[in-house]
Amino acid sequence: MNKIIEITQLNKVYYGPEDREREGLGVLSDINMRVDDNEFVSLLGPSGCGKSTLLKLIAGLDNDYEGSISLRGKNPKNTRIPVCYMLQKDCLIPWRTMISNILLPIEIRKGNIKTAKENLKSLIAEFGLAGFENYRPSQLSGGMRQRAALLRTYLMDGEIMLLDEPFGALDEITRMQMQDWLISVWEKHRKTVLFVTHDIDEAIYLSDRVIAMSNIPGTIVGEICIDFKRPRTRDMLLCTQFNEYKRSLMGLLTND
Ligand SMILES: Nc1ncnc2c1ncn2[C@@H]1O[C@H](COP(=O)(O)OP(=O)(O)OP(=O)(O)O)[C@@H](O)[C@H]1O
Ligand SMILES: [Mg+2]
């Protein structure tokens, strides 16, 4: 398997607005991890342990850290490497219609909007958004907004998808539907995904591998491979093996 993301000895400290003399807040400590091509990897950790910070660093939005991040062998500090990044909030632009929100990445790279619209039809249907193209975000359900944001992320240039708790704000039932839907879309398209969550069941259900993080300063306390075959089914969440995975992860998460 080819490594697509490789992180070694990464440390991140946030400094307050006043000055750099202060000690600062150590957020990430000695992070070492890799993600392979076409893998679905979840980062699981308690609130505030630095998960969003880590995604931001991988996306190249903050270069102030120690250690190294390499994307396909390139250092994002020196080279701009495009990634598909979905922030913790859906960040749809409220005054734009759903379709013009989705077309934003294409607009930004000055692509042909008319052709893109035509080509998007089947993806819009696949993402469960057909018929709602001209609705504004406030007129869509929470699940639809997340799917629109995911589709917009999917259309960004880049072979890595960084998803920051995309289902965190959804109710349990919508969340389950969205997980099933994401799994079916991912099983078909197979982009490399790094998925942030603090939900253990979600991490096991979706992932090939789950990386567990400690409390702040976040460090990696262990990882487990999920050997369930694909396509995944909800029954897998009820089997003994699932509970074994859950027990191991709970052990990792409570041992810091
Ligand atoms: N720009 C910033 N400047 C200073 N401190 C920050 C900044 N961004 C985040 N932090 C701090 O870093 C720590 C980690 O934040 P981060 O958002 O990475 O956590 P998280 O694991 O994503 O949490 P959650 O699961 O709640 O989203 C927090 O204590 C937060 O206050
Ligand atoms: Mg976060």
Side-chain angles (χ1 to χ4, degrees), residues 4 58-59 71 80-86 102-111 150-162 191-192:
I4 185 161
I58 296 172
L71 303 183
R80 201 195 146 261
I81 299 154
V83 291
C84 308
Y85 180 28
M86 180 169 159
I102 290 173
L103 288 167
L104 202 59
I106 291 148
E107 212 176 300
I108 289 169
R109 59 175 186 262
K110 302 205 174 11
L150 274 164
L151 179 51
R152 187 179 62 184
T153 309
Y154 181 82
L155 293 176
M156 290 174 184
D157 225 358
E159 47 181 345
I160 305 168
M161 282 188 86
L162 305 173
K191 274 201 189 205
T192 305

Side-chain angles (χ1 to χ4, degrees), residues 180-194:
D180 289 339
W181 166 83
L182 178 65
I183 270 196
S184 65
V185 173
W186 180 79
E187 279 166 3
K188 200 164 144 210
H189 297 272
R190 288 266 171 174
K191 274 201 189 205
T192 305
V193 175
L194 184 58

Side-chain angles (χ1 to χ4, degrees), residues 14-15 25 27 45-54 56 88 164-165 196 198 216:
Y14 279 122
Y15 294 95
L25 174 71
V27 181
S47 184
C49 76
K51 304 181 295 298
S52 296
T53 301
L54 183 54
K56 204 158 55 169
Q88 202 159 348
D164 196 348
E165 298 204 46
V196 163
H198 44 222
I216 192 169

Side-chain angles (χ1 to χ4, degrees), residues 86-146:
M86 180 169 159
L87 295 161
Q88 202 159 348
K89 278 172 57 190
D90 70 36
C91 290
L92 294 173
I93 300 171
W95 57 87
R96 282 188 158 226
T97 60
M98 184 259 279
I99 184 81
S100 60
N101 262 291
I102 290 173
L103 288 167
L104 202 59
I106 291 148
E107 212 176 300
I108 289 169
R109 59 175 186 262
K110 302 205 174 11
N112 185 327
I113 297 287
K114 220 170 161 190
T115 323
K117 238 182 193 167
E118 222 20 68
N119 296 342
L120 261 177
K121 277 194 176 140
S122 66
L123 272 174
I124 294 232
E126 204 179 321
F127 278 62
L129 296 165
F132 296 90
E133 288 84 345
N134 295 318
Y135 283 53
R136 290 183 206 286
S138 62
Q139 300 169 311
L140 301 172
S141 74
M144 289 167 115
R145 274 201 299 276
Q146 292 306 103

Side-chain angles (χ1 to χ4, degrees), residues 158-254:
E159 47 181 345
I160 305 168
M161 282 188 86
L162 305 173
L163 305 179
D164 196 348
E165 298 204 46
F167 311 141
L170 301 176
D171 64 85
E172 185 70 25
I173 297 169
T174 315
R175 191 183 176 103
M176 269 173 18
Q177 288 167 345
M178 291 291 295
Q179 290 164 349
D180 289 339
W181 166 83
L182 178 65
I183 270 196
S184 65
V185 173
W186 180 79
E187 279 166 3
K188 200 164 144 210
H189 297 272
R190 288 266 171 174
K191 274 201 189 205
T192 305
V193 175
L194 184 58
F195 185 97
V196 163
T197 180
H198 44 222
D199 182 320
I200 301 180
D201 290 13
E202 177 170 85
I204 300 173
Y205 184 50
L206 297 175
S207 315
D208 297 316
R209 196 150 55 85
V210 181
I211 297 176
M213 289 177 71
S214 69
N215 273 315
I216 192 169
T219 191
I220 290 171
V221 286
E223 63 169 51
I224 62 165
C225 286
I226 311 295
D227 288 326
F228 288 140
K229 61 181 190 326
R230 295 192 183 267
R232 299 269 162 99
T233 61
R234 286 267 151 204
D235 284 350
M236 291 170 179
L237 271 82
L238 304 168
C239 71
T240 324
Q241 180 63 61
F242 182 86
N243 284 326
E244 290 298 322
Y245 288 140
K246 195 164 175 173
R247 185 173 299 127
S248 312
L249 285 169
M250 285 188 327
L252 289 171
L253 293 169
T254 51

